[in-house]
Amino acid sequence: KLSVTHVDPSPRQYALYVVRCTRACPLTSVVSIVRLTKVFHKCKVGIWQQRLEFCTYDGDGNGYLGVSEVQEFVLDRIQALPQLAKLDEAFYETYAVYAASKFFFFLDRNRTRTIRIKDMLLSDVLNEFNELAVEEPLPREHEETNWFSLPFVSRVHGTFLALDKDHNGLLSQEELQQYEYTTVPVVERLFQISPLYHGCIDYRTFLAFVLARENLQTPEAIAYFARLLDIDGKGGISHLDIAHFWGGVLDHPLMSAVPPLVPFVEATSADNIAAEIFDMVCPKHPDLITVKELVSCGLGHTICGLLTDFDAFYFHETNFHVDRDRAELV
């Protein structure tokens, strides 16, 4: 069960892990052999301890963890993390679902609902989770950007509760359409490709959607939206797909509340937007942008934002964000 074949990181992966741990060293300084040896030793001990810990959750001994196993790992860690000391015990189970969602969003690349222990050990997601182990309070900028921190989980979970008007623990299309600057075609498409419960999406689906929105510059988020934008599952985004989602941006209720955009909208057709996007990507096929091309072009996050998020579109055109309450620039 503790076979090196299953969970021992390769030398290259281990070296990358050590590099992450030594980023604090100034590039212009000379790192002494003693100091570097201590860093290597600390990393080696830490990764072995974490590896053995993960093995206790690997019931099949195959080097992979499923959803319930990752959630169990989170549950067991909660009380040992000083940054979660104020977390209500009644919220533990929900927090485990919440925390596991990020591990699976970034590490379950083939969507098999399993994660390799090797990938867990060397992931930035685990490093982010382990930040909660420090005794002293996290710097404010870390709290505001760490998915696992109490302020972050309070914001995301509070948003879900606010959207869930009928308090059934699920979100209908009408409820999700109230989420920030989401457009109607995006919500309709999300409901087409997601598991539904009484016609609604569950908390996990909502969390994946939020993770994609919050991490739009990552390949995982771009791939998430590329699948969403591919209406009929043909393996890429077409001119018709772009026209469909662009129409949702134009029909957003806030469009009429932002006068600076009116002349632009009146002069811009769906064909022009599609042509601009295809020029940005330069795909091999003249009528189809693949997921790989959208990720590798370097502008995938911009394109996904333009077609799925009214505020991202507005910011792209004006360099300002929209204040939804006042419908003016902030």
Side-chain angles (χ1 to χ4, degrees):
K1 187 172 180 178
L2 301 183
S3 169
V4 171
T5 304
H6 286 155
V7 295
D8 194 32
S10 69
R12 179 177 178 276
Q13 290 172 318
Y14 180 70
L16 290 173
Y17 179 84
V18 173
V19 167
R20 293 194 191 106
C21 296
T22 57
R23 281 177 177 169
C25 299
L27 295 176
T28 56
S29 67
V30 177
V31 181
S32 70
I33 294 177
V34 174
R35 184 181 179 188
L36 192 57
T37 301
K38 288 181 178 179
V39 171
F40 268 85
H41 177 71
K42 182 178 180 180
C43 292
K44 184 176 181 180
V45 171
I47 203 170
W48 266 89
Q49 288 176 339
Q50 198 101 60
R51 186 187 76 169
L52 293 173
E53 183 179 7
F54 284 140
C55 284
T56 64
Y57 299 97
D58 181 13
D60 297 330
N62 61 359
Y64 286 79
L65 299 179
V67 175
S68 61
E69 293 161 337
V70 174
Q71 290 178 188
E72 185 181 355
F73 159 71
V74 173
L75 276 172
D76 291 343
R77 289 279 287 155
I78 288 176
Q79 292 184 321
L81 298 173
Q83 300 301 319
L84 297 180
K86 296 181 180 180
L87 186 66
D88 191 329
E89 189 173 349
F91 191 71
Y92 281 8
E93 293 283 348
T94 302
Y95 181 84
V97 173
Y98 170 89
S101 68
K102 183 158 189 176
F103 284 102
F104 279 89
F105 184 85
F106 284 100
L107 303 179
D108 181 19
R109 297 179 180 87
N110 296 321
R111 289 176 289 165
T112 61
R113 295 178 65 80
T114 59
I115 301 174
R116 273 200 325 174
I117 290 178
K118 286 183 181 180
D119 296 335
M120 285 277 287
L121 285 169
L122 298 167
S123 70
D124 288 333
V125 181
L126 183 61
N127 290 340
E128 183 181 353
F129 182 66
N130 285 338
E131 284 183 7
L132 305 183
V134 299
E135 295 286 346
E136 61 275 7
L138 290 176
R140 183 174 180 180
E141 60 272 18
H142 283 206
E143 279 194 332
E144 292 176 349
T145 58
N146 188 316
W147 173 264
F148 304 101
S149 71
L150 282 182
F152 210 115
V153 67
S154 297
R155 174 169 67 84
V156 174
H157 190 70
T159 298
F160 179 83
L161 294 178
L163 293 172
D164 183 17
K165 300 297 185 182
D166 56 6
H167 309 294
N168 66 346
L170 302 168
L171 295 181
S172 66
Q173 288 195 35
E174 293 74 18
E175 289 171 335
L176 186 59
Q177 283 168 12
Q178 303 306 310
Y179 176 58
E180 296 186 351
Y181 304 98
T182 306
T183 65
V184 172
V186 169
V187 172
E188 291 176 344
R189 177 63 178 151
L190 180 64
F191 273 68
Q192 290 175 0
I193 63 176
S194 303
L196 300 180
Y197 306 88
H198 306 291
C200 302
I201 60 170
D202 64 1
Y203 188 47
R204 290 182 176 86
T205 299
F206 171 74
L207 291 174
F209 185 62
V210 174
L211 280 162
R213 292 277 296 267
E214 297 273 349
N215 300 274
L216 194 52
Q217 297 206 16
T218 65
E220 292 82 4
I222 295 171
Y224 174 94
F225 278 115
R227 291 191 295 270
L228 187 147
L229 294 170
D230 178 9
I231 293 177
D232 51 7
K234 58 193 164 298
I237 303 171
S238 67
H239 288 79
L240 290 177
D241 294 332
I242 292 173
H244 176 71
F245 288 99
W246 174 245
V249 174
L250 297 185
D251 291 339
H252 194 281
L254 286 177
M255 181 61 75
S256 59
V258 282
L261 284 183
V262 174
F264 167 81
V265 171
E266 291 176 348
T268 305
S269 66
D271 289 339
N272 290 339
I273 290 295
E276 180 181 346
I277 289 175
F278 269 76
D279 287 343
M280 292 165 72
V281 179
C282 297
K284 291 182 179 180
H285 194 287
D287 298 316
L288 197 71
I289 299 172
T290 66
V291 175
K292 185 177 180 180
E293 290 170 334
L294 193 62
V295 171
S296 63
C297 74
L299 294 170
H301 61 288
T302 300
I303 294 168
C304 291
L306 285 173
L307 297 176
T308 64
D309 183 331
F310 180 81
D311 186 55
F313 154 71
Y314 187 82
F315 184 79
H316 177 73
E317 298 301 329
T318 67
N319 287 327
F320 290 97
H321 288 288
V322 175
D323 183 335
R324 186 167 190 163
D325 294 327
R326 294 179 298 164
E328 62 185 30
L329 306 184
V330 294

